[in-house]
Amino acid sequence: MHLLTIIWTLICAAIILGYPMYLMNKSYKNHSNTPNQHSLLSSDTVELLSFDLSNQPPGWSFTLNVPQITEETLHQYPILFYLETEETCLKLPMNNGSLGYMANAYKNVGKVYITFKSLLDSVSNYYVPPRHLRNLKVLIIKSHFKNGFSGGKERLEKSAIYSRLRKAGVNINNYDDVLTYFSNLTPIEFKGHFKPSPSTTKPSQRLTTIPSSNIGFKSA
């Protein structure tokens, strides 16, 4: 009788001690097999570059040298452009209805082209006011996500990043919102504030179209 009591006591003790450990282990496995909700890992980076346009002469097109835009970056990572004015940061491409112009950003390996056109016909060149040429902010989102089921890594498609931003309630047109969102997930690597020489951003009088080989920025 005493032996049965001892055995039963040991069984109860094993259950009391073992069940919480089982639950903790199960919870850990479930968490490990769940893809990262934010699509960003600590190994991912977001690069921030700033280009000073405040001293540029009036013009309708500008060319910037951006060596950070490599072949891999161009084709595999989202790149966001924000034109900083005296009032705010405007995401490119954009239409400024109050002043009657549209601004676009085009990118190629090592280059960024900014053009301004009239909203009246979307063709006529528009000489943007100097106060709307303060800085150009460039965000390069180098993101991967980890497949928890296989343990491998896959490239996160550009459209998935935009989808994540929308699902998180981030206004992609708001520079501060986007920067805050990413800074809460991964380190922001500030690559510097550049002051291009006049020859680098000299407005082209003969440039009427952007070369077809350039890849235009696609909005989310």
Side-chain angles (χ1 to χ4, degrees):
M1 184 66 181
H2 292 291
L3 180 61
L4 292 176
T5 301
I6 294 173
I7 293 174
W8 177 248
T9 301
L10 293 174
I11 292 175
C12 291
I15 293 175
I16 293 173
L17 295 176
Y19 188 66
M21 296 179 64
Y22 165 77
L23 292 178
M24 291 177 62
N25 185 57
K26 182 179 180 181
S27 176
Y28 173 78
K29 288 183 178 180
N30 289 338
H31 178 75
S32 299
N33 291 333
T34 301
N36 190 287
Q37 294 182 356
H38 298 293
S39 78
L40 291 171
L41 302 173
S42 58
S43 59
D44 299 323
T45 59
V46 175
E47 296 182 358
L48 171 62
L49 302 94
S50 177
F51 294 88
D52 189 344
L53 302 178
S54 60
N55 294 323
Q56 300 307 313
W60 64 271
S61 67
F62 300 92
T63 301
L64 297 172
N65 291 322
V66 187
Q68 289 82 1
I69 300 181
T70 62
E71 187 78 29
E72 178 187 17
T73 298
L74 183 67
H75 296 292
Q76 299 193 39
Y77 298 118
I79 304 176
L80 303 179
F81 299 96
Y82 295 88
L83 185 66
E84 184 180 10
T85 72
E86 290 183 351
E87 297 84 16
T88 184
C89 278
L90 304 169
K91 178 180 170 293
L92 301 180
M94 66 91 179
N95 294 336
N96 191 323
S98 60
L99 291 181
Y101 73 83
M102 58 188 297
N104 286 284
Y106 302 88
K107 56 187 181 292
N108 207 335
V109 177
K111 298 287 185 180
V112 171
Y113 307 89
I114 309 296
T115 64
F116 301 89
K117 298 291 184 177
S118 172
L119 278 176
L120 294 177
D121 56 15
S122 302
V123 176
S124 300
N125 300 333
Y126 186 97
Y127 285 76
V128 65
R131 69 179 183 276
H132 275 214
L133 286 177
R134 174 164 289 185
N135 296 298
L136 178 70
K137 306 289 189 180
V138 181
L139 279 174
I140 302 175
I141 306 169
K142 294 187 174 182
S143 174
H144 305 72
F145 74 95
K146 187 173 182 180
N147 186 334
F149 294 97
S150 65
K153 283 190 175 182
E154 301 176 14
R155 190 73 64 186
L156 186 64
E157 295 180 359
K158 296 180 182 180
S159 59
I161 283 288
Y162 303 135
S163 176
R164 294 282 182 175
L165 288 171
R166 287 193 295 268
K167 289 181 179 179
V170 179
N171 180 6
I172 196 172
N173 294 309
N174 189 307
Y175 171 76
D176 291 330
D177 282 359
V178 173
L179 201 64
T180 299
Y181 172 77
F182 285 124
S183 64
N184 287 330
L185 302 177
T186 187
I188 304 292
E189 291 189 2
F190 181 61
K191 295 299 183 178
H193 181 68
F194 304 95
K195 294 185 177 182
S197 62
S199 60
T200 303
T201 58
K202 183 178 180 180
S204 171
Q205 299 299 326
R206 292 181 293 179
L207 179 63
T208 56
T209 58
I210 296 298
S212 59
S213 61
N214 296 337
I215 300 177
F217 174 74
K218 298 179 181 180
S219 58

